[in-house]
Amino acid sequence: MAAVATLPDVTPGPAATARPGQRRAWRGIVLVIAAIYFVVPMAVSFWFTVYSEGQGFSLAAYGRILSAPGFLPSLLLSLALAACTIVAVLLLTLPAMLAVRLGAPRLRPVLELISTLPLVVPPITYVVGISTALREGVDALAATPFWATLIAIQDERFPFVLVLAYVMLTLPFAYRSLDAGLRAIDVRTLVEAARNLGASWPYVLFRVIIPNIRSSIASASFLTLALVLGEYTIAALLGYETFPVWIVTISGNDGQLSVALSIISLLLIWLLLLTLSGAGRKRR
């Protein structure tokens, strides 16, 4: 009489069935803690802007924003710097990453190392190096045609030297965002197929590669925008009045106005990031 093999009982026990519920509970706890961490300071700051012992509850601080002296020029300057920084960092990183992936894959670790260097070096070091180079460069290049270029990039109306500094600061974030997008597609196959069909390199870049990593490009752009709109150290030490520098400057005269501006700028950045996140999920 043949023996009948019996399979072990694989019915999930109480511990296994409780794991999904426990995970959801822990996620809820983490979200609540994160919400408290972010919302409580924002609520306290908002209450500071709308309440004073002498006047009580008032939204006058938000009404004074548009009429505040220096608000519009500093904001437009920061937005222009952000736009130029976005263009510069994309033109610098995207072609280099494509060239490494297609022609020299062994150089990818070197490119990654270079892109992470700004995270290691403090921003104050950049300021010291830039200010020293500008100060000594004016004397060293006085008899050369580059002297006019060195003076032009320090123009107060549009200090292009800040764009160069911001490109270095945003390089790690832009590189990681673009690298994630390029890893999600088969770059070599797309490029070879387009080139075999007679497409030029500009066509391959703008009509084949960029549409497939559009969300990564948007992510890098918004991260760059957020960094430029919040960067204070470099602009202040180099003597330029960008939007963050103007907020700190005006805080000595009108504390409620400066905090109100900080809240609005932070909410705008959050809104941009949430819009990007929603667009990415919808695209997937």
Side-chain angles (χ1 to χ4, degrees):
M1 186 174 180
V4 180
T6 59
L7 296 176
D9 187 9
V10 294
T11 305
T17 56
R19 286 180 181 177
Q22 291 178 355
R23 292 176 181 175
R24 286 193 294 268
W26 278 110
R27 289 175 184 173
I29 293 173
V30 172
L31 290 176
V32 169
I33 294 175
I36 293 175
Y37 181 81
F38 287 105
V39 172
V40 171
M42 289 285 293
V44 173
S45 300
F46 176 75
W47 181 253
F48 173 77
T49 60
V50 298
Y51 179 80
S52 62
E53 295 182 357
Q55 299 179 352
F57 184 84
S58 175
L59 295 175
Y62 294 90
R64 296 196 303 270
I65 291 178
L66 294 178
S67 61
F71 165 72
L72 193 59
S74 62
L75 179 60
L76 293 178
L77 176 60
S78 291
L79 292 177
L81 291 173
C84 290
T85 304
I86 291 171
V87 174
V89 75
L90 291 179
L91 290 177
L92 178 65
T93 56
L94 187 56
M97 295 174 68
L98 289 175
V100 169
R101 285 180 176 274
L102 296 176
R106 295 182 179 179
L107 294 179
R108 185 183 301 178
V110 178
L111 189 60
E112 292 180 356
L113 177 62
I114 294 174
S115 67
T116 56
L117 286 178
L119 295 177
V120 180
V121 183
I124 188 66
T125 307
Y126 293 119
V127 179
V128 175
I130 292 173
S131 60
T132 303
L134 294 177
R135 182 175 61 254
E136 297 180 356
V138 172
D139 299 331
L141 301 177
T144 65
F146 297 101
W147 181 85
T149 303
L150 191 63
I151 297 299
I153 64 174
Q154 303 179 62
D155 191 353
E156 293 185 355
R157 293 172 296 180
F158 186 81
F160 191 78
V161 64
L162 290 182
V163 175
L164 301 178
Y166 292 159
V167 167
M168 292 298 298
L169 292 181
T170 59
L171 183 61
F173 310 104
Y175 178 86
R176 291 303 175 187
S177 298
L178 296 175
D179 184 66
L182 292 175
R183 287 178 183 272
I185 62 176
D186 191 348
V187 178
R188 184 176 296 276
T189 301
L190 290 174
V191 172
E192 290 180 355
R195 292 289 293 170
N196 290 335
L197 293 174
S200 60
W201 281 109
Y203 188 93
V204 171
L205 179 62
F206 290 102
R207 299 299 298 273
V208 178
I209 301 299
I210 290 181
N212 284 283
I213 59 171
R214 190 177 304 168
S215 59
S216 298
I217 293 176
S219 178
S221 301
F222 282 125
L223 289 175
T224 302
L225 175 64
L227 188 144
V228 174
L229 291 181
E231 199 286 320
Y232 170 80
T233 304
I234 295 178
L237 294 180
L238 291 180
Y240 299 108
E241 192 176 42
T242 57
F243 188 60
V245 176
W246 179 79
I247 291 178
V248 175
T249 302
I250 203 174
S251 63
N253 301 324
D254 195 338
Q256 285 186 327
L257 178 61
S258 64
V259 176
L261 284 167
S262 301
I263 292 174
I264 291 178
S265 61
L266 184 60
L267 290 176
L268 287 176
I269 293 174
W270 279 1
L271 181 61
L272 289 174
L273 294 178
L274 289 175
T275 302
L276 172 65
S277 178
R281 287 195 300 266
K282 184 177 180 181
R283 183 177 180 84
R284 289 192 297 266

